[in-house]
Amino acid sequence: MSNIPRRRFLEAGSLGLGAGFLAPIATAGGSGYTPSLATDSTRVRMTGDGLGLTPAEQARLLARMAEEGRIERDSYSNGGVVEVLEEQFARVLGKERAVFMPTGTLANHLAVRTLAGPGGGRAILQAEAHLYNDSGDCVQTLSAIPLIPLAPGSATFTLEQVKEIVERTRGGRVSRPVAVISIETPVRRRSGETFDQAELDRITAYAREEGIRLHLDGARLFLQGAYTGTDVATLSRPFDTVYVSLYKYFNAASGAILAGPAALLDDMFHARRMFGSGLPAAWPFAAVALNFLPGFIDRFTAAVRTSESLITELGRHDAFRIERMTGGTNLFRLRVSGVDAEAFRHRLREQEVDLGGVRADGSFTVGVNETWNRATPDALAARFRAALA
């Protein structure tokens, strides 16, 4: 751990919240804090999880924070504003320690690698998991830990499926038992569907009995917290380690947090550097994420309320059809009948509402994020109706 002083940063009021900063951030909500946005945009962005800040907006935000004395440099990703970010995420997630990682791929990889221990072992995860599909087989190739995917096409695997694998590997001629279970929720490849909570409770209880370690790929965990009304520390509690993305909705240009026991993570910066990720300066990523962390749940919950009201209003109009995701979070499908979908999208854009591209089946995937707080549900509904003509 670096000895870079944090006194000046903390004396500056810790992001301008004064002495009351640490208490409200412990619940990631309730602070009433409005982050510095470095943008006066009134556009509602109905795609993606975050604000979609441009490079210019990112630069303005960092310049403002630096001028206000809210950024303390780190040294090779240790100390300074990075350390403050780690402390706050550990507090929010209810863990002893948190470590900055430049990417979620590395956070998930090092979590599974560390939990498996020096003896290796096998790891169970969803067939739809980001770690299994989109990380270049990093765990298998770089750490020689076999991954066992379960339940293709589903966000949830069952306790019975886990038991079957555990028993089979336990009875092999060469002992290489299951050492880790990694669970992603919400699941990106299932359009934000969450892992079934009842099944998760059964699996985590069984894992504890069997001495199997648990990792949570919670890249979008804070979104799940807002939709389920469950505190993120409660969602994280059954797991040894948890990863959270910093760029998806905390608006950093890159970055991730890995949180867990101090005994596992205190020296994690060595493994981080071994994998080429001890960035000489991580403060630009950490500062932006730290700006948006306080009060995020409150702000995102307000955006969810706006989206639910809009969904209700659009449901009263014959031209609009909403398709909700099973166990979903911030994504849903929108179908517009009687008009050309691309023309509708263009007209809506002229009214400061941005939809993503038209899907092959003619529908739109709509994403809820903080930009939904820039307009009232009635105003948004009026814009959708106007875009029909």
Side-chain angles (χ1 to χ4, degrees), residues 53 62 85 103 108 115 133 141 143 160 170 232 236 244 248 253-254 275 289 306 309 325 334 337-338 350 361 380:
L53 297 180
L62 286 169
L85 180 77
T103 67
N108 279 327
L115 292 175
N133 293 281
T141 304
S143 294
E160 287 69 31
R170 182 179 287 157
V232 291
S236 303
V244 175
K248 288 180 170 61
S254 188
F275 280 89
T306 296
S309 296
M325 309 298 184
L334 170 68
S337 60
E350 291 177 340
D361 64 359
L380 288 174

Side-chain angles (χ1 to χ4, degrees), residues 50-387:
L51 297 173
L53 297 180
T54 66
E57 290 167 340
Q58 287 266 356
R60 284 195 295 269
L61 173 58
L62 286 169
R64 180 181 302 170
M65 294 181 70
E67 290 166 0
E68 294 172 352
R70 294 161 58 194
I71 300 176
E72 188 78 42
R73 287 185 61 91
D74 60 288
S75 177
Y76 288 92
S77 304
N78 290 321
V81 71
V82 174
E83 185 176 342
V84 176
L85 180 77
E86 292 171 339
E87 290 173 350
Q88 297 314 315
F89 264 101
R91 184 185 298 268
V92 171
L93 294 167
K95 299 299 185 185
E96 290 181 331
R97 182 77 166 86
V99 178
F100 171 84
M101 295 286 172
T103 67
T105 295
L106 186 63
N108 279 327
H109 179 183
L110 292 188
V112 171
R113 175 189 174 94
T114 304
L115 292 175
R122 293 172 164 138
I124 289 174
L125 76 178
Q126 298 123 304
E128 305 303 322
H130 186 75
L131 181 58
Y132 185 67
N133 293 281
D134 307 298
S135 299
D137 293 337
C138 60
V139 177
Q140 303 97 306
T141 304
L142 301 177
S143 294
I145 298 172
L147 299 183
I148 303 175
L150 298 180
S154 176
T156 300
F157 52 74
T158 66
L159 174 60
E160 287 69 31
Q161 290 172 310
V162 171
K163 284 183 174 180
E164 194 274 329
I165 293 297
V166 170
E167 292 303 319
R168 183 192 303 176
T169 56
R170 182 179 287 157
R173 290 194 177 190
V174 178
S175 177
R176 194 160 194 194
V178 173
V180 181
I181 297 174
S182 176
I183 291 176
E184 178 183 338
T185 185
V187 182
R188 183 183 70 85
R189 283 178 169 267
R190 294 290 300 168
S191 299
E193 182 179 347
T194 58
F195 198 101
D196 180 80
Q197 186 62 48
E199 203 64 56
L200 189 149
D201 291 341
R202 297 175 67 213
I203 291 167
T204 54
Y206 170 78
R208 293 297 181 200
E209 293 172 2
E210 296 293 322
I212 299 172
R213 310 301 290 274
L214 293 158
H215 172 61
L216 173 60
D217 178 345
R220 294 173 171 84
L221 188 66
F222 282 74
L223 306 186
Q224 179 172 337
Y227 272 92
T228 62
T230 306
D231 182 72
V232 291
T234 300
L235 294 171
S236 303
R237 188 169 297 129
F239 296 87
D240 296 288
T241 55
V242 54
Y243 143 62
V244 175
S245 174
L246 297 183
Y247 84 86
K248 288 180 170 61
Y249 44 92
F250 292 118
N251 305 300
S254 188
I257 281 290
L258 178 62
L264 282 177
L265 300 186
D266 272 350
D267 293 329
M268 181 64 78
F269 67 94
H270 290 300
R272 180 180 65 191
R273 188 161 190 169
M274 179 179 68
F275 280 89
S277 295
L279 303 183
W283 59 264
F285 309 127
V288 172
L290 191 53
N291 178 68
F292 290 102
L293 175 59
F296 172 81
I297 290 289
D298 282 349
R299 300 191 307 273
F300 188 73
T301 299
V304 172
R305 285 196 295 267
T306 296
S307 71
E308 293 298 319
S309 296
L310 176 62
I311 288 170
T312 299
E313 185 62 30
L314 294 183
R316 298 190 176 106
H317 197 293
D318 292 340
F320 301 109
R321 182 158 63 100
I322 303 295
E323 299 172 3
R324 308 300 291 264
M325 309 298 184
T326 301
T329 47
N330 71 319
L331 300 178
F332 61 89
R333 302 268 195 262
L334 170 68
R335 295 185 184 275
V336 186
S337 60
V339 297
D340 177 79
E342 189 58 49
F344 172 81
R345 176 174 175 263
H346 179 74
R347 288 193 292 268
L348 198 57
R349 181 173 177 78
E350 291 177 340
Q351 299 192 56
E352 294 201 308
V353 177
D354 294 337
L355 284 177
V358 182
R359 290 165 48 85
D361 64 359
S363 69
F364 297 96
T365 296
V366 182
V368 179
N369 52 59
E370 282 195 62
T371 68
W372 288 62
N373 291 325
R374 295 172 179 172
T376 66
D378 288 345
L380 288 174
R383 295 180 198 180
F384 270 75
R385 290 192 296 267

